[in-house]
Amino acid sequence: MIRYTLILLLFFSFSINAQNISGQAFYESKTTVDMDALGGGREMSEEMKKTVAQMMKSALEKTYILTFNKDESIYKEQEKLDAAPMNPGFKMMMSSYTPGAQYKNLKTGQIVEENEFFGKQFLVTDSIKDLDWQITKESKTIGQYIAFKATAMKKVDPNDYSMARPKKKDERENAETKNDTAQPQDPMDMIEIPEEIEVTAWFTPQIPVSNGPGEYAGLPGLILELNVYRTTLLCSKIVMNPKEAEKIEPPKKGKEVTREEYIKIVKEKTDEIRENFRGRGGNGGGGRRGGGF
């Protein structure tokens, strides 16, 4: 009874301050790397695992800033001046599936984000997905805020390779058996992308905005911690009503496309890369050269 009374007090006593609220939330990202998925289901040596893990560390451990008010937000990666150098090809692969600046308008339900895909800028428009959040009885303290746990199931884009996981052993063996031995094994045949995943969010009604990092929103309070598949975003600092903050407005750089159009572009380019991989025998020879978008 005391728990529910506390929740009700938090939900309603702070809502009166929501009209003029603004702030900045800083999030630290941590991602667990599945080396089996990266290796296409084939075992990697310990030395190779260490090399790949080191390369991916700077790509996966990042700081993001969410600048928000009651209805709008802009979410950006905080650039690191001392970032470690990265292999150009690896950097391009990682950035191909990582969104740039993301603008959300809670009133209109719109998302606008900048994406760079294989050297070309896109301005992707989409609607905020209404997840069926289930608020649980669990709570914990994050910094100076009381946060409550909520979960939801989210459908996964079949071309989102950040969600890739290795197929079961028997499925990988079947793929290898069916593969033409004259052709290199396509790594994509060794992985699968789940149809849906569980998302866990910890939100605080003490900051009464229905916002959060990335595309996530829709809870009665700011999301302070988010767990999506192998990635965790944890809020490390909050600055309320800052005197100086980035102006919140939609990004404008890139070719305007819808989410559906962008997914189609990514799929076509990915299929082209796979075709080239098969055609050149995995060693850089022959194959069809990639065209434009």
Side-chain angles (χ1 to χ4, degrees), residues 233-290:
L233 285 161
L234 179 62
C235 184
S236 58
K237 182 174 73 172
I238 293 177
V239 180
M240 296 303 300
N241 304 311
K243 293 180 179 180
E244 294 183 7
E246 180 177 1
K247 186 177 181 180
I248 300 175
E249 59 183 7
K252 299 179 174 64
K253 187 178 180 180
K255 178 183 177 182
E256 293 188 21
V257 293
T258 64
R259 177 71 65 190
E260 290 74 19
E261 290 170 336
Y262 183 70
I263 289 173
K264 183 179 179 182
I265 289 168
V266 172
K267 183 180 186 305
E268 289 176 350
K269 191 65 176 178
T270 303
D271 289 344
E272 178 184 297
I273 293 170
R274 296 179 69 182
E275 181 182 336
N276 287 343
F277 178 84
R278 295 188 185 103
R280 63 176 180 260
N283 58 14
R288 180 167 65 88
R289 288 188 177 274

Side-chain angles (χ1 to χ4, degrees), residues 13-49:
S13 65
F14 292 98
S15 63
I16 58 174
N17 299 316
Q19 296 302 317
N20 299 316
I21 197 170
S22 66
Q24 286 186 304
F26 295 73
Y27 296 88
E28 305 291 336
S29 73
K30 297 286 184 182
T31 299
T32 302
V33 179
D34 190 332
M35 292 298 178
D36 290 332
L38 285 176
R42 297 185 177 183
E43 189 173 344
M44 298 172 67
S45 67
E46 289 303 315
E47 183 178 354
M48 179 61 72
K49 287 181 180 180

Side-chain angles (χ1 to χ4, degrees), residues 47-61:
E47 183 178 354
M48 179 61 72
K49 287 181 180 180
K50 289 180 181 178
T51 301
V52 173
Q54 187 61 37
M55 283 196 303
M56 297 190 73
K57 185 176 181 180
S58 61
L60 298 175
E61 295 184 3

Side-chain angles (χ1 to χ4, degrees), residues 12 72 92-93 135 139 146 169 187 214 216 236 258 260 270:
F12 296 108
E72 298 174 285
M92 183 172 67
M93 180 189 73
I135 299 175
S139 66
I146 297 175
K169 184 178 179 180
Y216 297 94
S236 58
T258 64
E260 290 74 19
T270 303

Side-chain angles (χ1 to χ4, degrees), residues 16-212:
I16 58 174
N17 299 316
Q19 296 302 317
N20 299 316
I21 197 170
S22 66
Q24 286 186 304
F26 295 73
Y27 296 88
E28 305 291 336
S29 73
K30 297 286 184 182
T31 299
T32 302
V33 179
D34 190 332
M35 292 298 178
D36 290 332
L38 285 176
R42 297 185 177 183
E43 189 173 344
M44 298 172 67
S45 67
E46 289 303 315
E47 183 178 354
M48 179 61 72
K49 287 181 180 180
K50 289 180 181 178
T51 301
V52 173
Q54 187 61 37
M55 283 196 303
M56 297 190 73
K57 185 176 181 180
S58 61
L60 298 175
E61 295 184 3
K62 300 180 178 181
T63 300
Y64 297 91
I65 303 174
L66 178 72
T67 304
F68 61 88
N69 57 34
K70 179 178 176 291
D71 296 320
E72 298 174 285
S73 66
I74 189 81
Y75 182 68
K76 287 185 176 182
E77 179 185 346
Q78 186 178 42
E79 294 185 7
K80 296 180 181 178
L81 297 178
D82 59 343
M86 190 185 303
N87 177 279
F90 183 79
K91 182 177 181 180
M92 183 172 67
M93 180 189 73
M94 293 302 298
S95 63
S96 296
Y97 301 100
T98 304
Q102 291 176 299
Y103 166 85
K104 287 203 299 286
N105 189 312
L106 303 179
K107 186 173 287 188
T108 64
Q110 183 187 44
I111 292 180
V112 181
E113 69 182 34
E114 288 180 337
N115 277 358
E116 181 181 345
F117 183 66
F118 281 87
K120 186 163 184 177
Q121 293 284 344
F122 292 93
L123 197 62
V124 183
T125 60
D126 197 4
S127 58
I128 299 174
K129 298 297 184 290
D130 293 324
L131 296 180
D132 184 18
W133 291 109
Q134 303 296 313
I135 299 175
T136 73
K137 299 178 181 179
E138 295 183 58
S139 66
K140 66 179 180 179
T141 301
I142 299 178
Q144 63 185 34
Y145 299 96
I146 297 175
F148 298 93
K149 182 180 178 181
T151 61
M153 299 303 297
K154 175 191 172 185
K155 291 184 178 180
V156 177
D157 171 8
N159 296 295
D160 185 354
Y161 292 101
S162 67
M163 298 291 178
R165 63 189 182 192
K167 290 182 178 178
K168 295 179 181 179
K169 184 178 179 180
D170 58 340
E171 294 176 336
R172 295 200 305 267
E173 291 174 348
N174 288 337
E176 289 176 344
T177 302
K178 293 178 181 178
N179 182 58
D180 184 349
T181 55
Q183 297 292 328
Q185 179 65 55
D186 186 345
M188 298 300 181
D189 292 338
M190 298 292 101
I191 62 175
E192 63 182 2
I193 297 173
E195 293 184 1
E196 63 177 7
I197 55 172
E198 184 178 57
V199 178
T200 301
W202 294 85
F203 69 97
T204 178
Q206 289 176 261
I207 304 178
V209 294
S210 298
N211 216 325

